[in-house]
Amino acid sequence: MDRIRISGGRRLEGFIPISGAKNAALPLMIASLLTSETMTLHNVPRLSDVRLLMRILGNHGVDAAISGKRIGQSDESGETITLSARDIVDTTAPYELVSRMRASFWVVAPLLARMGEARVSLPGGCAIGTRPVDLLLMALEKLGASIEIDSGYVIAKAPKGLRGGLIDFPKVTVGGTHVALMAASLAHGTTEIHNAAREPEVADLAECLIKMGARIEGIGTSRIVIEGVSRLGGAHHHVLPDRIETGTYAMAVAMTGGDVMLGGARSDLLQSALGVLQQAGVEVLTSDLGIRIRRNGNGLMPVDIETQPFPGFPTDLQAQFMALMTRADGNSRIHETIFENRFMHVQELARLGAKIRLDGDVAYVEGRTRLTGAPVMATDLRASVSLVIAALAAEGETLVNRVYHLDRGFEALEKKLFRCGADIERLSGER
Ligand code: UD1
């Protein structure tokens, strides 16, 4: 099992290319099930979650191919993936595959919309709270599907096809909105989604669906209207840059000090997090090239945050920000409002010397903490990268175990940081 070794204390200087967004690539790949024509996705990140989803889609009959690297392309240029679901050979998504990645549950929507039935195992994925799928199933029921749960499987049926309806989410759900968008695109009649997620990855999916022939209005707002069509076609689509990867490296630079250009990053995708970094005293400069993050010498101010659906501060940057706040010139308060139990990084950060007190869904972070290297364990995707960030600023050596969590969501993490001067390496195959 690979580990990552980090010796802290180096400033980060240079250029980090930002990859395509994992959370956009996954639903876009799943949307390929909606059409018998070929879908071509550019700028897809090289991640284990992407590879796993290709296997899952392959199980349903999707032919997937990755095009070779073009001349002059660096390792970090995203891949081009073509997906062709000419014939769906199986409408079952088995437990062995779905339990390894929660987002793969979303195949329920295109399978149901196109084939009239789907049998999909209840999901697994990151261990951050209960993460139910009741709202996703509610959305499908509003579109006329019958839903049964049997032996851990959701059996969704709509033999005569789905029909448009009103889906009013009581809570903002990204996955629920993806599912509703895909299903409604092939339903008979009009669907309205109220309280839709406004995350940029939802907009990216909607834009791709439009290229495939879907009729969608209200993209990027909380009220989306979809006029169903009888068939969708192929499309070419470029995956948008990863705002969570962007924010993560921005926090790494804020943590160590230094000056890094995050190439290809888009500030409109993470205004809230960038604003928080500016409040903390970090310089943020945006240009056509990307976002430049700079902190030279000056201390970090403590900032209180609360995670919120987009455009608020993303829950996927909460752990990283907590690591950063251990070095602020004062105490801060972090309120997690999206997921219960998303504080598993706290005890691992404590191994590096962090002083964080939990009270329900609020974490109180003591600033001015001296961090020191230690062996730590990655627990979930975002939690594990917070340990990397903390280790970059800690005195001495940190070994991060279970880095397969990182490989799910961060492309070439150690290479990107190494090229900016971090003392970081991957130790292969050791326990
Ligand atoms: C997606 C992201 C994840 C991010 C999260 C919130 C992907 C692959 N994952 O996850 O990185 O942290 O959005 O921005 O894009 N909920 C229910 N019932 C449901 C569905 C959700 O109660 O049926 C609750 C969840 O428990 C959570 C909240 O709604 O409290 C938001 O979850 P949701 O937006 O659905 O997260 P995901 O789509 O799973």
Side-chain angles (χ1 to χ4, degrees):
M1 217 182 276
D2 287 4
R3 295 182 297 173
I4 288 182
R5 185 199 59 77
I6 300 163
S7 280
R10 301 258 191 108
R11 288 160 58 83
L12 295 174
E13 310 268 350
F15 182 88
I16 296 182
I18 295 301
S19 298
K22 171 183 86 88
N23 285 356
L26 300 180
L28 287 166
M29 289 170 70
I30 289 172
S32 70
L33 287 168
L34 287 165
T35 172
S36 58
E37 293 179 17
T38 302
M39 170 126 139
T40 306
L41 295 176
H42 305 282
N43 198 34
V44 179
R46 288 176 182 75
L47 297 172
S48 61
D49 267 8
V50 167
R51 293 286 180 275
L52 178 60
L53 184 56
M54 283 175 81
R55 275 183 57 199
I56 293 171
L57 294 176
N59 207 48
H60 297 300
V62 178
D63 282 328
I66 301 174
S67 342
K69 217 190 304 173
R70 288 189 295 275
I71 295 167
Q73 257 186 345
S74 71
D75 283 353
E76 285 85 20
S77 311
E79 291 178 325
T80 294
I81 296 188
T82 54
L83 300 154
S84 176
R86 206 165 46 163
D87 299 304
I88 306 259
V89 298
D90 196 344
T91 51
T92 296
Y95 173 76
E96 300 75 59
L97 294 173
V98 181
S99 59
R100 290 170 57 190
M101 184 185 21
R102 190 183 151 78
S104 59
F105 182 79
W106 304 341
V107 299
V108 68
L111 290 174
L112 177 66
R114 188 166 148 199
M115 307 299 291
E117 60 170 46
R119 186 169 168 271
V120 181
S121 168
L122 287 163
C126 279
I128 46 172
T130 42
R131 296 185 87 174
V133 290
D134 55 324
L135 300 177
L136 282 65
L137 301 182
M138 176 278 277
L140 296 174
E141 279 177 333
K142 294 285 180 196
L143 301 182
S146 72
I147 306 279
E148 246 179 77
I149 300 194
D150 184 27
S151 314
Y153 278 77
V154 169
I155 299 158
K157 288 189 186 151
K160 294 195 183 126
L162 296 169
R163 48 173 168 69
L166 171 64
I167 301 170
D168 189 359
F169 286 114
K171 186 174 192 178
V172 175
T173 155
V174 172
T177 311
H178 283 318
V179 158
L181 271 172
M182 287 190 269
S185 291
L186 278 185
H188 304 285
T190 309
T191 297
E192 272 194 34
I193 309 176
H194 292 182
N195 202 22
R198 290 182 283 160
E199 269 65 4
E201 295 75 21
V202 170
D204 210 33
L205 173 66
E207 272 155 24
C208 182
L209 289 171
I210 287 176
K211 289 180 195 163
M212 294 166 76
R215 295 168 63 186
I216 303 172
E217 278 177 16
I219 295 179
T221 72
S222 53
R223 181 174 169 273
I224 303 179
V225 180
I226 303 126
E227 193 76 54
V229 295
S230 57
R231 62 175 293 282
L232 293 167
H236 278 261
H237 191 76
H238 198 90
V239 179
L240 90 176
D242 197 316
R243 64 196 166 97
I244 303 305
E245 190 195 27
T246 305
T248 300
Y249 289 124
M251 286 178 203
V253 179
M255 187 84 174
T256 60
D259 187 347
V260 172
M261 170 58 87
L262 303 173
R266 270 174 46 190
S267 59
D268 57 313
L269 304 182
L270 73 165
Q271 289 290 356
S272 155
L274 293 175
V276 165
L277 283 177
Q278 283 172 316
Q279 281 180 57
V282 179
E283 257 184 276
V284 178
L285 304 146
T286 54
S287 73
D288 291 347
L289 282 179
I291 306 174
R292 186 171 165 192
I293 304 289
R294 209 155 53 169
R295 183 167 78 83
N296 286 319
N298 54 322
L300 279 170
M301 308 279 285
V303 184
D304 295 342
I305 60 151
E306 185 174 282
T307 60
Q308 286 293 341
F310 191 84
F313 190 97
T315 174
D316 286 351
L317 286 174
Q318 179 256 105
Q320 299 88 313
F321 188 70
M322 190 181 292
L324 180 64
M325 284 296 100
T326 63
R327 301 303 298 268
D329 293 332
N331 301 343
S332 55
R333 183 180 183 277
I334 295 180
H335 185 185
E336 171 60 55
T337 73
I338 309 286
F339 290 111
E340 59 190 72
N341 192 24
R342 201 178 208 180
F343 282 137
M344 278 174 340
H345 42 286
V346 169
Q347 55 181 5
E348 295 301 302
L349 285 171
R351 295 173 56 77
L352 300 174
K355 297 191 184 84
I356 300 160
R357 184 172 61 81
L358 291 181
D359 183 4
D361 50 11
V362 177
Y364 296 89
V365 186
E366 201 173 306
R368 298 189 196 88
T369 306
R370 180 169 160 252
L371 299 176
T372 49
V376 289
M377 187 98 83
T379 50
D380 74 42
L381 179 53
R382 312 303 178 186
S384 38
V385 84
S386 77
L387 302 173
V388 172
I389 290 184
L392 290 171
E395 289 165 31
E397 192 173 276
T398 296
L399 277 176
V400 183
N401 293 289
R402 299 202 181 164
V403 298
Y404 54 83
H405 285 295
L406 287 169
D407 296 334
R408 288 187 46 214
F410 289 90
E411 181 175 0
L413 173 99
E414 70 276 10
K415 283 192 201 156
K416 290 184 183 188
L417 287 169
F418 178 78
R419 285 184 198 148
C420 288
D423 185 351
I424 180 168
E425 67 174 334
R426 178 180 288 253
L427 308 173
S428 294
E430 295 171 45
R431 292 207 122 256

